[in-house]
């Protein structure tokens, strides 16, 4: 890295916040997540209902996060853990397609019924994604790990808390 960039501390593992401050990738917190996942799938961590962990990060770190989760997926599998990685962005596209929301006729009608369409999408997208998740993971126990990535792409129609509530219910 050129000296002038180093003096500005432009680390590729950093993200610039709106206020100009930089938030680094929190490797220690990510390592803690990995340790908790390993303990859970090995049965060494108490479980209440549906075991899940949410890892929040600055959206500016999206590419780093995706790389880290891809690497985590590989490490889990190398350690003998049954692990799968699912893109919620892709599941959203699949659900929108199944609902007919990607058709040209839908785009024309959406303009006149925007509020109703938004309400329908909030309900149907969440239900469609949870349905796919429960079908995909049916019969799996806590020794299986599902990494759900790109959850932010669902916003503003689906919130992670909504998905988690539907999964638990």
């Amino acid at each position: 890295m050129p000296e002038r960039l180093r003096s500005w501390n432009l680390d590729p593992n950093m993200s610039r916040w709106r206020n100009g401050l930089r938030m680094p990738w929190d490797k220690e917190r990510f390592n803690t997540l990995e340790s908790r996942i390993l303990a859970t799938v090995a049965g060494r961590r108490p479980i209440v209902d549906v075991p899940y962990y949410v890892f929040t990060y600055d959206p500016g770190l999206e590419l780093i996060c995706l790389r880290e989760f891809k690497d985590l997926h590989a490490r889990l599998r190398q350690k003998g853990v049954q692990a799968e990685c699912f893109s919620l962005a892709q599941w959203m596209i699949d659900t929108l397609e199944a609902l007919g929301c990607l058709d040209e006729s839908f785009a024309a009608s959406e303009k006149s019924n925007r509020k109703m369409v938004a309400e329908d999408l909030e309900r149907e997208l969440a239900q469609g994604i949870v349905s796919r998740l429960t079908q995909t993971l049916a019969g799996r126990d806590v020794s299986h790990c599902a990494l759900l990535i790109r959850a932010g792409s669902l916003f503003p129609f689906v919130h992670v808390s909504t998905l988690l509530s539907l999964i638990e219910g």
Side-chain angles (χ1 to χ4, degrees):
M1 182 180 305
E3 181 59 38
R4 69 182 174 84
L5 292 181
R6 255 182 286 183
S7 65
W8 282 92
N9 196 25
L10 294 178
D11 183 333
N13 292 326
M14 303 275 279
S15 171
R16 185 172 298 281
W17 283 22
R18 288 188 184 118
N19 63 6
L21 298 175
R22 295 174 92 49
M23 177 186 168
W25 176 253
D26 194 339
K27 187 76 170 161
E28 183 178 326
R29 200 165 58 91
F30 196 79
N31 289 341
T32 299
L33 171 69
E34 182 173 352
S35 297
R36 288 181 178 169
I37 290 170
L38 288 168
T40 300
V41 298
R44 295 188 317 267
R45 190 165 172 87
I47 298 168
V48 178
D49 294 325
V50 179
Y52 58 80
Y53 300 100
V54 175
F55 187 81
T56 56
Y57 57 91
D58 182 299
L61 297 171
E62 180 79 6
L63 294 178
I64 295 167
C65 187
L66 290 173
R67 182 188 67 222
E68 291 292 333
F69 270 98
K70 180 181 175 188
D71 293 347
L72 172 60
H73 178 240
R75 285 192 305 274
L76 291 171
R77 292 181 61 90
Q78 287 172 350
K79 293 177 180 178
V81 174
Q82 294 178 8
E84 295 176 88
C85 194
F86 302 108
S87 169
L88 294 179
Q90 184 60 54
W91 284 10
M92 176 181 66
I93 292 168
D94 295 346
T95 302
L96 288 171
E97 191 170 57
L99 293 170
C101 297
L102 302 182
D103 298 338
E104 287 183 36
S105 61
F106 177 82
S109 69
E110 181 267 340
K111 289 179 184 176
S112 62
N113 298 317
R114 197 161 285 220
K115 184 175 172 26
M116 185 179 73
V117 168
E119 290 169 358
D120 289 348
L121 284 177
E122 286 178 22
R123 182 184 61 254
E124 297 299 325
L125 271 176
Q127 288 293 341
I129 290 168
V130 168
S131 175
R132 184 163 178 184
L133 181 62
T134 53
Q135 288 172 9
T136 301
L137 298 177
R140 309 285 170 93
D141 61 19
V142 294
S143 66
H144 186 85
C145 178
L147 301 171
L148 306 177
I149 59 172
R150 302 296 319 270
S153 65
L154 305 176
F155 185 82
F157 298 108
V158 179
H159 297 266
V160 172
S161 59
T162 301
L163 291 177
L164 296 175
S165 293
L166 290 170
I167 291 167
E168 288 176 352

